[in-house]
Amino acid sequence: MKHDPVFPKTVLFGCLAVLLLICFHRVLLNDHQFAYRDSAHYYYPLYQRVQLEWNEGRWPLWEPEENSGMPLLGNPTAAVLYPGKVIYAVLPYAWGARIYILAHVALAFAAMVALMRSWRASWTAAGLSALAYTFSGPILFQYCNIIYLVGAAWLPLGVLAADRWIRLGSRRALLGLAFVLAMQTLGGDPQASYLLGLCACGYAVGVAWTGGRGLIEDESADAVAEPASGRKWGRWWIYPLIAAGLIVWIVVTLELARIFPGFRPPRPPEKPTPPLPWMRWAPLAASIAWGLVLIFFLARRRKANRDAALERLGFGLAASAALALALTAAQLLPVVEFTQRTSRAAEEGPHDIYPFSVEPHRLVEMLWPNVFGTYFSRNACWADLIQLSTVRGKIWAPTLYMGCFIVVLALRAFSIRRGASWRVWLSIVVVVTLLGSFGQYTSPIWAARLVERSTGVGWPGIGALDPPDVNPLRMDRLLRDGDGGIYWTLSNLLPGFRQFRFPSKLMTFSMLGLAALAGFGWDDFCRGRGRRRGTIALAACLLTLTVGVLAAWQFERPAILRSFEKATLTSSFGPFDPIAAYGETTQSLVQAALVLAIGVAVLATAGRRPRLASCAALALVSADLAVANHRLIATVPQSLFEAEPEVIKIIKEAERKNPSDGPFRIHRMPVWDPPIWNREASSDRVRDFMQWEHATIQPKYGINLGVEYTHTMGVAELYDYEWYFGPFPRKASVDFAKYINVEPGHSIAYYPRRSFDMWNTRYFVLPSHPGNWTHEYRGYASFLPESEAIYPPRMVERTPEAEKRARDWVENHDYQILRNKKMFPRAWVVHRARSLPAMEGTARVGRAGPMQEILYGGDPIWNDPTMNIFDPLELAWIENDDREALDGFTRGFPPRSSEKVEVEYPHGARVEMTATLDKPGVVVLADVYYPGWKLTIDGAPAPIYRVNRMMRGAAVKAGVSKLVYTYEPASFRLGGFITLAGLGVSALLAAFVAWRPRTPLPWSPVDPDPEAPTPAVAG
């Protein structure tokens, strides 16, 4: 038997090469680019924007193209300082975008191999784990959301480092852990770092609590499959205790769901639901509670004279986290500065934490690939027929499949109570993260409401399931479906966790745990640990189940197709195709049956011919994943990204005929689709998506093409800026109802029109079809008054041919461009002011009234005779604290036509203005007020005043003045110093750990190189 066999490694890396080629051949060989979801309209232009700044020799600090300016370095998804972005610097951008994704797929594979080898897994076991993890649906599909692929790629190395520190006391591992945490954070996925740290802490507590039992795998692994019969029921009382605890949790949660809504403050009509009074203080209370628990725990341990192993482990993990924070400070501090001013940090917690919850029934996708159908080439997905709520579920990954053979091996290695400590740790991580990924579907409130909808029997006083398009806080004041569930508990008990989104993100840890357990399962089987027949029997049982379901599926074909034909499951991928959906499920079951049958044969061969079985297992898993998941990679020709968007061509022509006096912004409504997509199928709908979104400059497609967007929706938006643009319902007056051809009193989704005027919006890119005027993504009524149509041309005569062309345009193109006649200039002069109380924090208190005063313009939709109309071109709203300083500049003079301001942007982080004033006044700049901006007037430093709640103001004397704004964030300077110090400390620590590589722990081995892998068996 060879110590480091070449043959299984050759097979393994051959399988990797084949899988990479099958999944990514179009981007490697056919000049294609990744094009689905955020990979096309978000990350491709965003990373290009960052690279353009680097190419100009500037720090990528500020992005003026979105939301009237926003931090670029402070945008966590921009990953400005991530070292992996050097790929974009050394390659042409299109190739950089491809290789960046491919490199992280390869990193995920290599990292998983390294992790398994550190646990002394055979090369075959390591390969099975690496293939299953890297090419599982939830990991591979993150090419669409690259920051999460980065986090997943580094995760196995983080687990490896945490394990080596806790198991072996390796100080080098602490440096490695700090490096991994830093890479995940800089790469844009701080949530992965946070969760990795939590998992490491849990592992340390578990190991210390048990005194290191189970850290020697050879002595404990047999106990996984063969618990001592005498102790099997030794703790039978645990099970009724767990059952009683579940009952108490359910009853208490449901009763609180009935009582708590009565504690909410009264809600004025048409105003958002206020939060429960104590929710503002919940994060602080949770942090204090954790601190008290830690103090009490450590005091008890010291009193009991316990060894200091846990303290040493905890200190090491804390030091590693601190070093990671230092290494990332140059980027992290600007990110924190930004996110703490966004809606995610709002004191009422208004952002929704439940989107992308994984429906529990989707777990069968781990066994049967694409069992609910697919939707890439056509709408052949019937998953929505299983309705667990009235809110249509958002899909994080189209499939959870990681290989049914892998699932068999993982289930056999799964162990919560006995076995190697790392195996128990991974099993617990799998359970907790799987349950957490269900999001709202673990709450007793959701379950009780679902039961009531299905049977009519429910818990009184808790209401029905969340309505469609539900707000983060329900308008009827009741609790949300997911409140009281596991993910809700994590969000409220773990400090800072609530700022993260997407329960499905936890699936990354589930996939890693299951993949690693599968590797252990293979080695256990080949090494004769436990009962081999049990593993074969499990595979045979799942095979029998699959064949049985397939037979029933075929037998009930007429009834199933009739049910499918009655369904109305239209989507942007076209009308539902019952025949294709039925065929997809059939193919899924056939594939699973074949894989399980071959898997049984491979297991039966492993004892006699291990090398053949090893190669067959690797080939089986590779072929299975290639067939099941290669369709996840959606691409389009690179040339589509490089074409000039149609909307930009039209606006350029409009500007040639009627040029603007200065810079201007464009508002493109964020999300809508042409109606034809729901009625007609397409052979390549992803290409349709990309072409239409690119042509209509869906954000961020235009940021590198000279487009400045007034308002976009992305990772987060500044809380006070959002106050300008939130829609709210209004009733159509008689005259306006006639104008838009609806009944008087018809509800309209109203956007404060003055907001767009004030923020220098010259063009509106809108849907052509308004729907019923109530949907926030189609209701464009606010933009019709005082606007002129640019494109498409209006009908001159209502002939049948002209009406047909108009209908075809709405159906197939569905966009229009309007020019705003009421656009404010980018900057203007005022001599009057109204003072407002200073704002603190991110609470609604003190904001609603002043913002209504600023935004109310008495337009045809929002017309209230009880409100006063103020003209922002004549006065500015200033903070009370600035009233005295601005008194000499706000004497009440009317503005004059001779007072003008010229604005230029040499680059994103610099604004140059030439202001001509007849009398001292305030120059208002319609760019966002944000910390870090500096102002000079005629070369002398000057203060920047907060005006109109979110704009910049400068006090300027009479005459001609030169104003220069530059963005020089103190958070970046401070963070840079901390990062440099962190690099220095890292170098010193590297020298120290080379001298003293280990921390003595009661359970750590004493051999001189405890991290060296031992010879692995079974290939």
Side-chain angles (χ1 to χ4, degrees), residues 818-838:
L818 306 182
R819 180 155 51 204
N820 182 12
K821 296 180 180 179
K822 296 180 66 178
M823 176 192 77
F824 284 33
R826 181 62 60 90
W828 63 93
V829 179
V830 298
H831 301 280
R832 295 172 53 204
R834 286 176 62 84
S835 59
L836 298 173

Side-chain angles (χ1 to χ4, degrees), residues 698-781:
Q698 174 169 328
K700 307 180 181 283
Y701 276 123
I703 63 174
N704 302 306
L705 301 172
V707 174
E708 295 184 49
Y709 293 96
T710 304
H711 181 233
T712 64
M713 297 168 54
V715 59
E717 292 75 42
L718 291 170
Y719 181 71
D720 288 302
Y721 190 73
E722 285 293 285
W723 276 83
Y724 273 92
F725 301 103
F728 54 90
R730 296 292 298 176
K731 302 294 184 182
S733 65
V734 174
D735 292 339
F736 195 76
K738 184 178 180 180
Y739 179 65
I740 62 174
N741 196 27
V742 298
E743 294 294 325
H746 184 81
S747 183
I748 294 173
Y750 175 74
Y751 290 87
R753 171 57 182 273
R754 177 179 277 185
S755 300
F756 298 89
D757 300 341
M758 291 177 65
W759 288 99
N760 186 227
T761 308
R762 181 166 171 83
Y763 292 96
F764 301 119
V765 182
L766 312 169
S768 292
H769 193 288
N772 60 0
W773 299 101
T774 61
H775 198 283
E776 62 179 302
Y777 295 150
R778 278 197 176 272
Y780 59 82

Side-chain angles (χ1 to χ4, degrees), residues 659-1007:
S660 171
D661 292 334
F664 60 84
R665 295 190 173 98
I666 298 171
H667 176 60
R668 198 269 195 194
M669 291 187 75
V671 182
W672 81 91
D673 301 324
I676 194 68
W677 290 356
N678 290 278
R679 289 193 280 273
E680 291 185 7
S682 171
S683 59
D684 192 350
R685 182 63 85 208
V686 172
R687 179 170 180 153
D688 297 339
F689 290 159
M690 187 272 161
Q691 281 188 290
W692 182 81
E693 291 171 353
H694 185 264
T696 60
I697 58 171
Q698 174 169 328
K700 307 180 181 283
Y701 276 123
I703 63 174
N704 302 306
L705 301 172
V707 174
E708 295 184 49
Y709 293 96
T710 304
H711 181 233
T712 64
M713 297 168 54
V715 59
E717 292 75 42
L718 291 170
Y719 181 71
D720 288 302
Y721 190 73
E722 285 293 285
W723 276 83
Y724 273 92
F725 301 103
F728 54 90
R730 296 292 298 176
K731 302 294 184 182
S733 65
V734 174
D735 292 339
F736 195 76
K738 184 178 180 180
Y739 179 65
I740 62 174
N741 196 27
V742 298
E743 294 294 325
H746 184 81
S747 183
I748 294 173
Y750 175 74
Y751 290 87
R753 171 57 182 273
R754 177 179 277 185
S755 300
F756 298 89
D757 300 341
M758 291 177 65
W759 288 99
N760 186 227
T761 308
R762 181 166 171 83
Y763 292 96
F764 301 119
V765 182
L766 312 169
S768 292
H769 193 288
N772 60 0
W773 299 101
T774 61
H775 198 283
E776 62 179 302
Y777 295 150
R778 278 197 176 272
Y780 59 82
S782 307
F783 307 109
L784 293 175
E786 299 293 332
S787 295
E788 58 179 329
I790 299 298
Y791 196 84
R794 294 292 188 238
M795 283 189 295
V796 179
E797 298 181 4
R798 287 190 170 274
T799 63
E801 293 79 7
E803 291 183 348
K804 182 179 183 301
R805 284 196 302 270
R807 287 195 301 271
D808 289 345
W809 178 266
V810 172
E811 286 289 310
N812 294 281
H813 301 277
D814 192 22
Y815 77 85
Q816 59 178 318
I817 304 173
L818 306 182
R819 180 155 51 204
N820 182 12
K821 296 180 180 179
K822 296 180 66 178
M823 176 192 77
F824 284 33
R826 181 62 60 90
W828 63 93
V829 179
V830 298
H831 301 280
R832 295 172 53 204
R834 286 176 62 84
S835 59
L836 298 173
M839 296 183 297
E840 295 182 1
T842 51
R844 297 186 62 85
V845 177
R847 281 177 166 84
M851 287 305 300
Q852 285 188 5
E853 182 176 293
I854 294 171
L855 300 181
Y856 179 68
D859 60 47
I861 302 177
W862 188 14
N863 199 314
D864 187 343
T866 65
M867 297 183 66
N868 296 319
I869 300 176
F870 299 94
D871 187 355
L873 289 174
E874 296 186 356
L875 65 85
W877 286 263
I878 62 175
E879 309 294 298
N880 275 338
D881 295 342
D882 298 331
R883 186 176 184 85
E884 183 177 349
L886 293 174
D887 184 63
F889 301 87
T890 54
R891 295 298 179 86
F893 304 112
R896 298 182 180 182
S897 58
S898 57
E899 295 183 314
K900 295 182 179 180
V901 184
E902 298 177 358
V903 184
E904 294 182 355
Y905 293 83
H907 57 80
R910 184 180 177 90
V911 187
E912 296 180 356
M913 305 164 59
T914 302
T916 304
L917 281 72
D918 293 340
K919 296 180 180 296
V922 175
V923 174
V924 178
L925 175 64
D927 285 357
V928 295
Y929 179 90
Y930 192 82
W933 281 95
K934 309 292 184 183
L935 171 65
T936 62
I937 301 178
D938 295 329
I944 301 175
Y945 297 98
R946 185 173 192 148
V947 301
N948 301 338
R949 284 306 202 197
M950 274 303 286
M951 294 180 179
R952 298 180 215 158
V956 182
K957 65 182 186 301
V960 179
S961 301
K962 180 74 171 182
L963 287 73
V964 177
Y965 285 96
T966 54
Y967 184 56
E968 303 170 12
S971 58
F972 176 52
R973 292 198 303 272
L974 176 60
F977 288 133
I978 295 175
T979 295
L980 290 176
L983 291 172
V985 170
S986 298
L988 293 176
L989 289 176
F992 174 74
V993 300
W995 174 50
R996 299 284 298 274
R998 291 182 53 210
T999 291
L1001 296 171
W1003 52 80
S1004 58
V1006 295
D1007 41 288

